[in-house]
Amino acid sequence: MSRPGLPSRLLRSSSHLGWNGVRLEEYEDPFVTEAFHTRGESLTLVRVTTGRYRIESRAGGRWRADDYRPGSVGVTAPGHENVLRWRASAPVVMRSQHVHLDPALVPAGAASPDALSLDDPYVTASVQALATALDDEAPALYADAVAAALVAHLVHRVGARAVSPVRAGALSAGEVRLVVDFMHEHLSEDVTLEQLSALVGLSKFHFLRLFRSATGETPARFLAKVRLRQGARSLSMTPESVAAVAIRCGYRSAGQFAAAFRREYGCTPRAYRQQSRGI
């Protein structure tokens, strides 16, 4: 299976996870391609994971070329139309990760980044974080937070125009309470950055920055702690099974809950229950 216009075979995608601000796709690429047209509505990053490519890009009448190796990244602005072709420069299986970012994450007044080749450790680490999130079936709130931070970095790294004045400081205590109450009320659901930012009338980009300024945590990390605290409380005070507690606290499985619980509390949910009851 391949995405329309892309001569590659889709290996996996985050589409089933309900992420809102970002979609990650992984492809196996052919060794040689004829020239093909590309145009996307998202801000797109392509990162090579295996293989070596000689990639050429034509915007207008002029071809540009670069050599890609594992870790190389290209960035395409939303709505940007060009022509691509490539040829393998080594007999190695060729695979790539495509990160499609919501263009609404680009701050008002900033230029959407565009670069045939970008060497940036932060971008590489962010794409890897999203790939790990796909492995873990992470919730939308985490993926959206990574996406917002990645876009902010790209706008700064690739080049931005002057940005319109935005709200400074942090969220008020009332706004933080409104967001936290929403988290508690929707604990079993896949809470998104879009939902939380709408509560206080901010863009996702600015909400992420102001929430962290107010609480010292990203929304994803804060929600994870809320879920785990509620899970610990339920383990101590109710006879619910670990699986039932996991689902009620927003985890997809008992295993996912147990892994997160162990990282936070240093023991399994079952051991925590026994310790809290003096068993």
Side-chain angles (χ1 to χ4, degrees):
M1 180 180 182
S2 64
R3 184 161 56 88
L6 187 68
S8 304
R9 184 169 66 89
L10 180 64
L11 300 175
R12 65 175 188 155
S13 169
S14 66
S15 296
H16 66 290
L17 295 176
W19 295 356
N20 296 290
V22 60
R23 183 176 78 257
L24 173 67
E25 297 169 338
E26 295 188 351
Y27 287 92
E28 183 172 292
D29 300 314
F31 284 102
V32 180
T33 67
E34 300 296 330
F36 64 95
H37 290 264
T38 66
R39 179 184 175 89
E41 298 307 315
S42 61
L43 172 59
T44 304
L45 282 73
V46 177
R47 175 177 177 260
V48 174
T49 56
T50 64
R52 291 180 177 270
Y53 308 58
R54 177 68 172 176
I55 293 184
E56 295 178 284
S57 170
R58 188 182 72 202
R62 185 177 180 182
W63 286 96
R64 297 180 299 160
D66 212 330
D67 292 313
Y68 276 49
R69 62 189 188 282
S72 295
V73 176
V75 185
T76 304
H80 184 85
E81 184 170 354
N82 61 9
V83 181
L84 291 176
R85 65 189 181 194
W86 68 70
R87 179 180 297 274
S89 53
V92 179
V93 173
M94 298 168 63
R95 292 198 174 101
S96 56
Q97 297 167 324
H98 295 223
V99 178
H100 303 277
L101 297 157
D102 184 352
L105 293 172
V106 178
S112 289
D114 193 89
L116 177 60
S117 182
L118 179 66
D119 183 11
D120 190 301
Y122 184 90
V123 173
T124 298
S126 297
V127 175
Q128 186 54 54
L130 289 169
T132 302
L134 176 55
D135 292 336
D136 297 340
E137 297 191 336
L141 183 60
Y142 173 79
D144 286 351
V146 174
L150 176 55
V151 170
H153 178 80
L154 281 169
V155 168
H156 171 72
R157 173 69 172 82
V158 178
R161 294 194 296 265
V163 180
S164 302
V166 298
R167 176 177 162 187
L171 299 178
S172 68
E175 289 173 322
V176 171
R177 186 163 55 251
L178 180 66
V179 171
V180 174
D181 286 348
F182 184 91
M183 290 179 175
H184 280 283
E185 291 164 7
H186 298 81
L187 208 58
S188 64
E189 302 171 21
D190 195 4
V191 177
T192 68
L193 196 60
E194 186 173 30
Q195 289 173 316
L196 298 181
S197 60
L199 290 172
V200 291
L202 291 169
S203 71
K204 291 182 281 189
F205 172 79
H206 291 114
F207 170 75
L208 178 64
R209 179 175 60 84
L210 295 181
F211 185 88
R212 185 167 191 169
S213 178
T215 66
E217 303 275 4
T218 65
R221 181 59 183 154
F222 193 95
L223 177 59
K225 287 186 173 181
V226 169
R227 284 177 162 150
L228 289 170
R229 282 197 296 268
Q230 181 58 48
R233 188 176 299 113
S234 296
L235 290 168
S236 299
M237 302 177 64
T238 76
E240 287 183 297
S241 68
V242 172
V245 170
I247 297 302
R248 192 157 59 80
C249 291
Y251 292 89
R252 289 186 171 84
S253 68
Q256 187 185 49
F257 171 63
F261 195 92
R262 181 188 287 273
R263 285 194 298 269
E264 186 71 17
Y265 291 99
C267 64
T268 66
R270 190 177 302 278
Y272 182 89
R273 167 171 275 167
Q274 292 172 342
Q275 292 168 12
S276 65
R277 296 183 179 183
I279 300 175

